[in-house]
Amino acid sequence: MLFPTFAFGLFFVVVFVLNWLTRPHPTVWRAVIFGSSIFFYGWWNWRFVILLLWAIGSNWFAGNKINSCRLRGAQDGVRAWTSIAIASDLTLLGVFKYYDFFAVELSNLLGMGNAVPILELTLPVGISFFTFQAMSYVIDLRRGVIEPMKFLDFAVYLSFFPQLVAGPIVRASEMAPQIAKRPDPRRVASAEAFHLILRGLFKKVVVSSWLASNLVDGVFADPQGHSSLDVLFGVYGYAIQIYADFSGYTDIAIGVALLLGFRFPINFDRPYSALSLRDFWRRWHITLSSWLRDYLYIPLGGNRGQNSDMYRNLLITMLLGGLWHGSTWNFVIWGAIHGVALIIERSLPTERIHPVVRWALTFHVVCFAWIFFRADSVSAASDVLSAIIGSSGDAKVLNAGLIFLVLASIGVQFVTKSASARMGSWMNRRPVLIQGIAFGMGLVVIDTFGPEGIAPFIYFQF
Amino acid sequence: MEKMTNAESESNRDRRRNGQGSPAGKVLVAGLAGLAVALFLNSSALLADATRQPDGTGRSVALAVWRPIESVASSLGLTWPRATVERLLGRSEVEQAITLLLEKIEVVATSEKDDRVTSSVQEEQEPREVPGEELRRSLKPNWDADNPFQLWVTGDSMVRFFGDTLVSLAETSTMVQATSEPVLSSGLSRPDFFDWPTRLAEIMTKHDPDAVVIILGGNDAQNIRAGDGEWLERFNEAWLAEYRRRIGTVMDLVTSDADRVLLWVGQPPMREEGFDQRMQLLNNLYQVEAAERDRVQYVDLRGLFTDSSGNYSRYLPDSAGKLVDVRLTDGVHLSHWGGQWLSALLLRELRRSPNVDELWVR
């Protein structure tokens, strides 16, 4: 079920009513939210509900075992159950997301055609998100930083529909207290929620879709047929498109959760205003980068030891972060570019460089990496790069409107948080009925300016 | 009591001012009011969306819901803001142009079966008889950089994944000018969504291409509405007859010029079995209709995109035996490699004629 659809609107009105009506009855409320989330996920494909249920059951069971072993001081048991849970999660990911990639690469390496059977399984939506949440739960239990959750609480946590298919990746430590504590039904953060939902829809339906259909898709389909300037702006356009698409989804998810009485962590903080790659990763997909930091980079050794150890840890983290996005060499290269750039940045006194130059360098490294992220193959990415350097094609698509949209979208990143908050608080000061009507009119404006038909969110495929 | 209510109300207002939210019941009412505003202001677009849905229960329910809402909204003048914005964006002008063209085509189409669109052309020029294998030899060989060979690649969303590549490949000759024009979600089943005969008539008149590549069908396995307004159930006898008539109309329209050839590209094998069977049925129709016409060539993609067992596969070996992914994860569209393979095949097909082949040799 896609957020910007009539079906979701109808679904959400029903869930909103049930949520607040059943909130005084904890067990009923949990059953309602869990059932709604399963319905939301099953709307796309019922068969994959089994996978979600497996992830819930196996991780909850393993979590309980980890906790009881830890309390008994049985460290071997803790290790064993943690390993079993993580192996189960990684097997899900491995079979559905990575098997074919490795099978094809192995077959090509052996030079034996279809030497290794290819499964061609459909990738379950959101599998990368809920398996990462599940892994964080069992690892946090092992570390003793959280208490085990009751089954229905854990089921609600892992399947909660606003963040189920494309994040943000919410930790159990953030969700468990919110599930346990009944929010005040007299204080629903409607203004903030309406504002976030409208902002998210605008980013997705207008900015992302418009850039995709009028600039990015054409440039990446045939870079050599476009002028160098077209291709360059096509890459800038993709940087904006993917930001608008993904942060738009997150805005809607946070807004929807707010209406149900939950507050998710922020996932984006004006990433294209970053003055360094480190800064970028503190602002882009924050819940994933903090997950990778806490559950991969630091366990690998983090900043400890010699510089070479730190560089190795950075590179491994970024390579696996790239692979998390998809099972192609392009994502590996995307991760490698970020890893290498982070290493270079840490090994040089970059703070001496003028901030404008630092911003330009950071933005262009990020854009350079996006080329591999967006292109279908490494050779397609090479075509884009060579077209930027020197294309013989004619300018086909670039016009003043597109240039303005790209530049304005980058410029908006420098609008301070307080300015953005002021815009949101305008709605907050209005009576709730006016908020609702403004919300409705906003929906009409967005639908009017958006193209026909809504493409799925880019991050659904991860 | 009243005092308490006032105090409560004041306290609620304070909370709201301080950003602490509103009661859930009021939020629900406000949200529903907002949605109602959106539904009425947007009712014309919602009705248009419902009209374009495939025939079935969903469409009937949607029409039953949106028609009265749109009727009330338009009588209250609530649809004009959106209509005004769309006019300012130039969208209504496009619709108007299409309507005018549609009317023009319908005037021609009132005559007999398939010769309707070609009749005016035939009056001016007697079509040459061209045997099947010789078809492209009839093409004029006098192309040069100033008078390039015009290639038009068009169809549904499938074109997005090979059209631009074919254009690039074709334009490696300075004597070729190629254009790719995909129309997403389009087909021959729903002219109310996109009218291909109208658009093609426009292309033929304005651009007079020498060769046209068309791929359609991915969105066509649905009930269609006959000229008398009756809905024809997918794949029943009347449906097949009507769909064949539409294929024939498009083929005749494109080849109305005796110097033009049409490559009709069949649907590739699909991952989902039922969808694949439906596409194969449509492919049979395209093939039969193409076989009945001299300057139409059907291009079968099954051989190109199936594995050694003749089945759909996302990964296929290239000429060096290396496995590459030729299809997207949706099991329908072509990947970058798939697009390159298809473009190479289509260019080979075009070059089979000696005169055309010279374009890339000279």
Side-chain angles (χ1 to χ4, degrees):
Chain A
M1 204 181 281
L2 290 173
F3 281 161
T5 58
F6 184 71
F8 179 78
L10 210 59
F11 164 81
F12 186 71
V13 168
V14 174
V15 174
F16 179 87
V17 172
L18 291 175
N19 174 70
W20 290 107
L21 282 180
T22 60
R23 232 352 183 147
H25 314 285
T27 309
V28 180
W29 173 79
R30 284 163 173 78
V32 163
I33 294 298
F34 180 47
S36 307
S37 298
I38 293 297
F39 179 81
F40 175 87
Y41 196 66
W43 183 271
W44 167 69
N45 190 330
W46 270 110
R47 286 174 299 173
F48 290 125
V49 167
I50 297 163
L51 282 185
L52 181 59
L53 294 177
W54 168 258
I56 291 168
S58 60
N59 286 284
W60 178 77
F61 182 77
N64 280 356
K65 290 288 181 191
I66 290 165
N67 190 56
S68 61
C69 289
R70 196 174 55 80
L71 292 177
R72 288 200 317 271
Q75 284 309 310
D76 287 348
V78 170
R79 268 194 295 275
W81 281 108
T82 310
S83 304
I84 288 168
I86 290 175
S88 161
D89 294 330
L90 290 178
T91 303
L92 276 188
L93 269 182
V95 170
F96 284 93
K97 191 163 178 174
Y98 299 109
Y99 174 83
D100 281 353
F101 172 64
F102 288 109
V104 168
E105 291 306 319
L106 190 62
S107 293
N108 286 338
L109 193 70
L110 298 172
M112 293 169 67
N114 287 320
V116 185
I118 293 166
L119 299 178
E120 297 200 28
L121 297 172
T122 305
L123 181 67
V125 167
I127 190 169
S128 304
F129 290 93
F130 67 72
T131 49
F132 265 41
Q133 288 199 172
M135 283 194 281
S136 75
Y137 173 72
V138 291
I139 295 170
D140 283 352
L141 276 175
R142 178 186 168 162
R143 292 173 178 172
V145 295
I146 57 166
E147 291 295 317
M149 295 169 84
K150 289 177 184 163
F151 179 74
L152 264 182
D153 285 16
F154 184 69
V156 167
Y157 159 60
L158 212 60
S159 67
F160 195 44
F161 70 87
Q163 41 84 8
L164 176 60
V165 292
I169 300 170
V170 187
R171 309 271 181 95
S173 56
E174 291 162 324
M175 274 290 276
Q178 299 192 64
I179 292 171
K181 189 185 167 194
R182 186 186 156 202
D184 187 347
R186 294 166 303 169
R187 296 181 181 187
V188 179
S190 55
E192 190 181 352
F194 288 150
H195 172 238
L196 281 166
I197 293 170
L198 280 183
R199 194 172 75 180
L201 285 173
F202 180 78
K203 285 181 188 171
K204 166 63 188 170
V205 178
V206 181
V207 179
S208 170
S209 302
W210 208 74
L211 279 172
S213 53
N214 291 292
L215 176 66
V216 179
D217 289 351
V219 162
F220 276 85
D222 178 29
Q224 298 295 344
H226 291 79
S227 71
S228 294
L229 197 63
D230 266 9
V231 182
L232 184 66
F233 267 83
V235 174
Y236 293 158
Y238 182 65
I240 300 300
Q241 184 204 338
I242 192 166
Y243 166 73
D245 193 284
F246 191 19
S247 73
Y249 182 91
T250 307
D251 286 344
I252 301 169
I254 295 173
V256 164
L258 270 177
L259 287 174
L260 299 178
F262 284 83
R263 189 169 284 280
F264 287 165
I266 64 159
N267 215 14
F268 293 89
D269 179 17
R270 300 164 296 132
Y272 296 133
S273 66
L275 299 184
S276 66
L277 261 296
R278 277 179 86 175
D279 191 19
F280 175 79
W281 280 105
R282 288 192 205 106
R283 295 165 177 274
W284 176 269
H285 203 173
I286 298 166
T287 56
L288 174 67
S289 50
S290 61
W291 194 102
L292 292 170
R293 181 197 63 208
D294 295 344
Y295 300 106
L296 187 60
Y297 181 66
I298 292 174
L300 281 171
N303 298 342
R304 293 190 301 274
Q306 297 181 347
N307 278 349
S308 57
D309 296 332
M310 182 179 72
Y311 297 158
R312 179 203 61 206
N313 298 338
L314 262 177
L315 197 57
I316 291 172
T317 304
M318 295 316 294
L319 284 173
L320 290 175
L323 208 52
W324 176 86
H325 285 88
S327 51
T328 69
W329 286 114
N330 280 41
F331 290 116
V332 177
I333 293 171
W334 176 79
I337 292 168
H338 276 279
V340 170
L342 280 165
I343 291 168
I344 294 170
E345 191 177 274
R346 288 195 181 209
S347 57
L348 295 174
T350 49
E351 63 281 358
R352 288 185 201 162
I353 303 171
H354 191 278
V356 174
V357 179
R358 273 159 56 201
W359 172 81
L361 280 171
T362 304
F363 180 68
H364 283 91
V365 169
V366 170
C367 285
F368 172 62
W370 283 139
I371 293 172
F372 290 87
F373 198 93
R374 170 61 176 78
D376 289 341
S377 64
V378 178
S379 66
S382 308
D383 289 347
V384 173
L385 284 169
S386 55
I388 291 173
I389 294 162
S391 170
S392 54
D394 301 324
K396 283 181 179 172
V397 291
L398 212 52
N399 57 44
L402 281 169
I403 293 171
F404 172 78
L405 181 61
V406 170
L407 296 181
S409 302
I410 296 169
V412 163
Q413 304 272 314
F414 293 93
V415 176
T416 60
K417 263 187 187 173
S418 58
S420 174
R422 271 201 300 279
M423 283 168 69
S425 70
W426 177 88
M427 216 180 211
N428 206 22
R429 290 194 300 275
R430 306 277 89 77
V432 67
L433 191 63
I434 300 295
Q435 291 173 19
I437 290 169
F439 175 68
M441 294 180 81
L443 292 179
V444 178
V445 170
I446 289 165
D447 191 60
T448 305
F449 283 95
E452 252 176 31
I454 302 299
F457 289 91
I458 294 174
Y459 263 70
F460 270 34
Q461 62 190 296
F462 306 139
Chain B
M1 184 69 182
E2 199 185 331
K3 213 173 178 179
M4 277 178 68
T5 313
N6 283 341
E8 238 176 45
S9 158
E10 187 57 37
S11 146
N12 284 343
R13 211 171 295 139
D14 283 347
R15 271 204 299 271
R16 219 171 41 232
R17 279 177 187 150
N18 293 332
Q20 291 180 13
S22 310
K26 283 188 177 178
V27 174
L28 177 66
V29 171
L32 289 175
L35 288 177
V37 166
L39 294 186
F40 276 93
L41 290 176
N42 223 16
S43 55
S44 53
L46 290 165
L47 181 62
D49 283 346
T51 312
R52 287 195 290 260
Q53 279 183 30
D55 181 42
T57 315
R59 184 178 188 275
S60 304
V61 171
L63 286 176
V65 171
W66 300 129
R67 265 201 188 121
I69 292 176
E70 198 273 341
S71 170
V72 171
S74 102
S75 60
L76 292 173
L78 295 175
T79 50
W80 75 263
R82 176 163 182 148
T84 307
V85 174
E86 292 205 329
R87 206 167 36 249
L88 290 172
L89 292 173
R91 288 180 187 168
S92 53
E93 283 168 22
V94 174
E95 274 172 26
Q96 206 176 10
I98 288 175
T99 313
L100 285 172
L101 274 162
L102 190 71
E103 282 167 7
K104 208 170 142 189
I105 288 283
E106 268 177 16
V107 170
V108 185
T110 44
S111 58
E112 278 305 295
K113 213 170 75 103
D114 287 331
D115 53 341
R116 67 196 100 196
V117 185
T118 59
S119 58
S120 57
V121 178
Q122 284 169 339
E123 278 168 21
E124 293 168 15
Q125 184 185 346
E126 194 66 26
R128 283 186 251 166
E129 279 199 15
V130 186
E133 283 303 307
E134 302 293 313
L135 62 97
R136 282 181 300 279
R137 286 185 189 168
S138 68
L139 295 179
K140 289 177 289 191
N142 302 324
W143 300 292
D144 54 35
D146 297 326
N147 177 34
F149 176 87
Q150 296 276 349
L151 171 65
W152 205 278
V153 188
T154 194
D156 56 26
S157 58
M158 209 57 110
V159 175
R160 281 179 71 176
F161 302 93
F162 74 92
D164 287 329
T165 312
L166 179 56
V167 166
S168 282
L169 273 180
E171 288 186 346
T172 51
S173 163
T174 54
M175 288 175 284
V176 177
Q177 192 174 49
T179 306
S180 163
E181 185 183 289
V183 181
L184 273 57
S185 309
S186 66
L188 297 179
S189 288
R190 299 298 299 270
D192 54 322
F193 173 72
F194 189 82
D195 194 292
W196 272 107
T198 303
R199 176 61 191 144
L200 287 167
E202 192 182 37
I203 294 169
M204 300 313 129
T205 312
K206 272 189 184 171
H207 305 283
D208 189 20
D210 297 291
V212 176
V213 173
I214 290 181
I215 182 165
L216 288 170
N219 307 302
D220 280 347
Q222 57 171 298
N223 297 352
I224 58 180
R225 194 171 221 167
D228 58 2
E230 188 198 350
W231 281 97
L232 307 176
E233 199 177 325
R234 185 177 72 184
F235 297 155
N236 73 13
E237 212 168 304
W239 189 99
L240 292 170
E242 173 63 14
Y243 193 74
R244 279 189 67 173
R245 190 190 67 75
R246 293 183 186 191
I247 301 168
T249 300
V250 167
M251 289 180 174
D252 290 341
L253 196 154
V254 172
T255 54
S256 58
D257 186 319
D259 290 326
R260 188 183 300 134
V261 293
L262 167 62
L263 296 187
W264 190 289
V265 185
Q267 291 290 320
M270 302 294 179
R271 184 175 60 201
E272 203 263 306
E273 199 183 333
F275 186 47
D276 187 45
Q277 283 170 358
R278 293 193 288 276
M279 289 305 102
Q280 288 320 306
L281 192 148
L282 296 185
N283 280 348
N284 292 341
L285 302 183
Y286 304 139
Q287 201 163 3
V288 167
E289 289 297 318
E292 288 178 4
R293 288 162 178 85
D294 287 333
R295 274 169 284 111
V296 182
Q297 185 188 337
Y298 174 76
V299 182
D300 185 20
L301 300 190
R302 281 205 85 80
L304 189 65
F305 291 116
T306 48
D307 61 17
S308 52
S309 319
N311 296 321
Y312 166 92
S313 180
R314 185 182 164 198
Y315 300 94
L316 291 171
D318 64 10
S319 53
K322 187 185 165 199
L323 284 177
V324 291
D325 56 334
V326 291
R327 308 295 291 269
L328 292 185
T329 49
D330 62 10
V332 176
H333 295 105
L334 304 176
S335 71
H336 172 74
W337 290 112
Q340 290 208 333
W341 286 19
L342 176 54
S343 300
L345 171 76
L346 291 171
L347 197 65
R348 272 202 306 277
E349 291 299 326
L350 275 173
R351 291 181 68 168
R352 277 173 55 199
S353 165
N355 289 340
V356 177
D357 189 46
E358 283 173 21
L359 290 167
W360 289 275
V361 176
R362 275 189 276 176

